Amino acid sequence: MSSNNYEKKVYIYDGSYQGLMTALYLAFKQREAPIKILSQTDFRDDLFYQTKTIITDIDKAAFFSEQIKNHISVQALNNIFHAYLSETEKLELYIFRYLFMGFKVGEKVDQYLTKNYVRQVQDLAHKVRHESHRLKGLIRLQEAAGGKYYAAVEPDYKTLVLLAPHFKNRFSTMNWIIHDLKREEAVIYSAEDKEWLLIDLEKDFKPELSQKETEVQDLWRAFFSAVSIKNRRNRKVQQQFMPQKYWKHLIERPGSSQNHRLE
């Protein structure tokens, strides 16, 4: 790829995964090594390099994904998708360099741990997968008035798209919403259509709970408090398995509304 300074460019894409894949496809096809790859929201005017605005092309993104699977590995494709969900600064360049190495060495790319960009992609992907796995066991769907179910979360990473298939399989006969308050977006699932959709949803949205749900929550908190043995509480171990940042949206833990104090 060309390394002449005057040819170095800043790629600007729309922030979507398909947009990033389009940008990467064009970089490899045109044999360019962008000095930066930034989403539109992260871009600031740069007087030193040319800018190139990338128009998202779903077909190009899909084609490039197939090239990664065929010439590197399915695991590599999973790694870059999960790393993308971390929303970490400079992740696009880490992914670009990871793929550049991958197209050279194939599926062995993940063995090149002496390369910082390989470690970064693997580490970010691992963190996203780990949080997704943890949230699958911590999310509590609550029955709202009208029969729909709702849960609020504030994950470190953009994990809704990883959570949705799990909850679709587990609660396929229920209509539910999982709401990421931090990013003001939600996954909404229709039991009739058997499909889920990622939508924008303001942070202040909070459905009214059904009377049955309120009663069940009160009973659960009373039970949880009653069976708790004060002398055997181990906050350090508790936080190790369930970090305190997740307690806010649990029915039985401090931070939930109408909760019994456990201290």
Side-chain angles (χ1 to χ4, degrees), residues 122-136:
Q122 288 189 359
D123 183 55
L124 293 174
H126 172 75
K127 288 178 178 178
V128 169
R129 286 192 286 261
H130 181 67
E131 181 172 59
S132 173
H133 176 73
R134 175 174 274 161
L135 287 173
K136 288 173 184 177

Side-chain angles (χ1 to χ4, degrees), residues 21 64-73 77 80 99:
M21 295 300 282
F64 192 60
S65 296
E66 287 299 314
Q67 293 298 300
I68 294 170
K69 287 195 291 185
N70 294 335
H71 295 284
I72 307 178
S73 67
L77 184 62
I80 64 173
L99 290 176

